[in-house]
């Protein structure tokens, strides 16, 4: 049986599941908003604990990265992402998930050739090295003050 490309495209469109775009957009908005509200609550908590606004912002970023990595490791971030879709791509939590996921997936291949290599491949060396450099810079700055 031979069909033309146009007939095949029509067949695929008939069989393809229709995307509930309004529902998906609303869920992404709500989940992304909840992540941002959580971030603001964490920042307020750090400020209430006595940190300056700038230090509270830094501590909030670190906390969100940690929580995202932890939820990824517990396979909960993936479940949230399936429900909330693009809402989980809020930059800092999405970044942590993008780094931790391949590290976990390729753990069986070893620390260097599995976890570290795949983590750098997926997240992008520039982003990972930039983050590492900023952490080292922050530690050096803290030690010099």
């Amino acid at each position: 049986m031979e069909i033309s490309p146009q007939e095949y495209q029509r067949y695929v469109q008939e069989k393809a599941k229709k995307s509930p775009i309004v529902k998906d957009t609303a869920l992404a908005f709500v989940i992304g908003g909840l992540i941002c509200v959580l971030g603001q609550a964490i920042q307020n908590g750090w400020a209430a604990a006595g940190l300056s606004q700038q230090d509270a912002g830094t501590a909030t970023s670190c906390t969100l990265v940690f929580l995202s990595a932890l939820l990824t490791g517990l396979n909960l971030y993936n479940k949230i992402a399936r429900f909330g879709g693009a809402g989980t791509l809020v930059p800092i939590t999405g970044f942590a998930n993008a780094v931790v996921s391949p590290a976990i997936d390729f753990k069986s291949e070893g620390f260097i050739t599995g976890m570290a290599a795949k983590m750098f491949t997926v997240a992008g060396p520039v982003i990972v090295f930039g983050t590492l450099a900023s952490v080292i810079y922050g530690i050096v700055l803290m030690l010099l003050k």
Side-chain angles (χ1 to χ4, degrees):
M1 180 172 142
E2 196 169 310
I3 61 174
S4 71
Q6 294 84 7
E7 291 173 324
Y8 179 73
Q9 284 299 323
R10 190 177 39 221
Y11 173 76
V12 168
Q13 288 175 354
E14 289 173 6
K15 297 296 181 185
K17 183 179 174 186
K18 302 297 182 232
S19 175
I21 190 134
V22 173
K23 176 185 162 229
D24 290 348
T25 303
L27 284 173
F29 178 79
V30 169
I31 296 300
L34 287 173
I35 291 171
C36 293
V37 167
L38 174 65
Q40 187 63 55
I42 291 169
Q43 184 174 13
N44 292 348
W46 283 117
L51 293 179
S52 69
Q53 195 65 26
Q54 186 175 3
D55 290 342
T58 302
T60 300
S61 296
C62 294
T63 303
L64 286 171
V65 167
F66 170 77
L67 289 174
S68 179
L70 178 66
L71 290 175
T72 299
L74 297 173
N75 199 28
L76 295 175
Y77 199 90
N78 189 32
K79 291 176 184 175
I80 296 168
R82 283 189 184 155
F83 178 74
T88 58
L89 296 177
V90 174
I92 198 149
T93 56
F95 164 75
N97 176 261
V99 172
V100 174
S101 289
I104 292 170
D105 290 344
F106 293 95
K107 181 180 174 187
S108 63
E109 293 182 22
F111 183 74
I112 301 297
T113 58
M115 288 174 56
K118 298 302 180 183
M119 177 175 63
F120 283 99
T121 300
V122 174
V126 174
I127 295 172
V128 176
F129 280 119
T131 303
L132 180 62
S134 67
V135 169
I136 292 170
Y137 176 77
I139 291 170
V140 169
L141 193 64
M142 184 181 70
L143 293 174
L144 294 176
K145 281 193 174 184

